[in-house]
């Protein structure tokens, strides 16, 4: 279909099945009346409904929300928090700070891309195991193809258990949310990686953060959308603290304090 054909097909009123506002009357949110169907809902419940179109059990919502809570670190050294802090240092608005912080949270090593890659592998690995493939072969083929498996090996603390995993397991037990097939497979992959590599490569929170919603019926896209605001609460204190310092006083560093071993300074000629 050509660009002109697309424009002709979609010219006019915007078709939607997601919702619409009727001022002074009502607002439809994914087929439900926002002000009656969600009169007693909290914001997180509405957010998950916006992502999935489903209303989850309270226990499931509490566990999913705890993932956001347990990963809200108000440490300005963390990459997305640093962006928010620097925005505050330059006197950017809160919207600029938080928007830029969320955008930078999609990093490939620490952020959303890691979760996306982990979700992709867990889905493919579970399908392979269900089809009769040996987990060891699945893991070896993935390592051969991609050199690493997303969701295993924490860059800043590789040998250690991610501190957020035990508290998440405790929350799941308290709320009666069982370990599902994706989560169970994630644990088995951790053990298999040690066998294949000959060293421990512990599971990170990225694997947990996607295994949980996958086991609740989320798609890979829905997992990504669910986690988008996950670091937000940790960014805000960093932004506020930067505002309390003088402008430009956050992460101030002289050039001569940087240990540089790269290419020597070059003289630009006309």
């Amino acid at each position: 279909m050509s660009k002109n054909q697309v424009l002709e097909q979609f010219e006019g009123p915007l078709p939607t099945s997601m919702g619409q506002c009727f001022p002074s009357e009502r607002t439809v949110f994914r087929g439900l009346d926002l002000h009656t169907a969600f009169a007693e809902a909290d914001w997180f419940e509405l957010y998950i409904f916006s992502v999935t179109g489903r209303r989850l059990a309270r226990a499931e919502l509490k566990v999913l929300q705890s993932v956001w809570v347990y990963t809200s670190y108000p440490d300005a050294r963390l990459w997305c928090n640093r962006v928010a802090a620097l925005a505050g240092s330059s006197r950017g608005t809160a919207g600029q700070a938080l928007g830029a912080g969320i955008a930078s949270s999609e990093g490939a090593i620490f952020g959303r891309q890691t979760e996306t890659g982990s979700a992709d592998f867990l889905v493919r690995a579970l399908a392979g195991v269900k089809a009769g493939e040996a987990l060891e072969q699945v893991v070896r083929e993935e390592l051969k193809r991609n050199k690493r498996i997303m969701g295993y090996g924490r860059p800043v603390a590789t040998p250690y258990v991610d501190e957020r995993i035990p508290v998440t397991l405790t929350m799941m037990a308290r709320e009666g949310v069982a370990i599902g097939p994706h989560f169970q497979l994630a644990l088995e992959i951790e053990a298999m990686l040690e066998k294949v590599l000959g060293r421990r490569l512990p599971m990170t929170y990225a694997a947990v953060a996607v295994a949980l919603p996958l086991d609740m019926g989320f798609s890979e896209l829905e997992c990504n959308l669910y986690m988008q605001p996950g670091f937000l609460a940790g960014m805000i204190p960093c932004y506020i603290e930067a505002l309390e310092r003088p402008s430009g006083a956050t992460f101030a560093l002289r050039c001569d304090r940087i240990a540089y071993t790269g290419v020597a300074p070059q003289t630009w000629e006309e």
Side-chain angles (χ1 to χ4, degrees), residues 5 8 39 42 79-80 93 103 107 109 140 185 204 222 228 232 235-236 241 245 249 257 259:
Q5 288 175 318
E8 289 171 0
D42 58 31
W79 80 111
C80 52
T93 67
I109 297 178
R140 289 187 181 278
L185 182 64
T204 72
E222 289 168 348
Q228 283 299 318
L232 192 61
M235 297 178 198
I236 294 173
E241 194 169 51
R245 300 190 190 97
R257 292 186 61 192

Side-chain angles (χ1 to χ4, degrees), residues 79-80 83 95-108 111-113 228-229 231-232 235:
W79 80 111
C80 52
V83 169
Q96 291 169 336
L98 300 180
I102 289 176
S104 68
S105 73
E106 295 191 313
R112 302 281 89 99
Q113 289 187 51
Q228 283 299 318
F231 300 140
L232 192 61
M235 297 178 198

Side-chain angles (χ1 to χ4, degrees), residues 176-199:
V177 174
I179 291 177
H182 292 93
F183 201 138
Q184 181 60 43
L185 182 64
L187 295 170
E188 293 171 5
I189 290 169
E190 180 182 54
M192 185 56 67
L193 280 169
E194 184 172 2
K195 175 183 177 181
V196 170
L197 299 175
R199 58 186 175 88

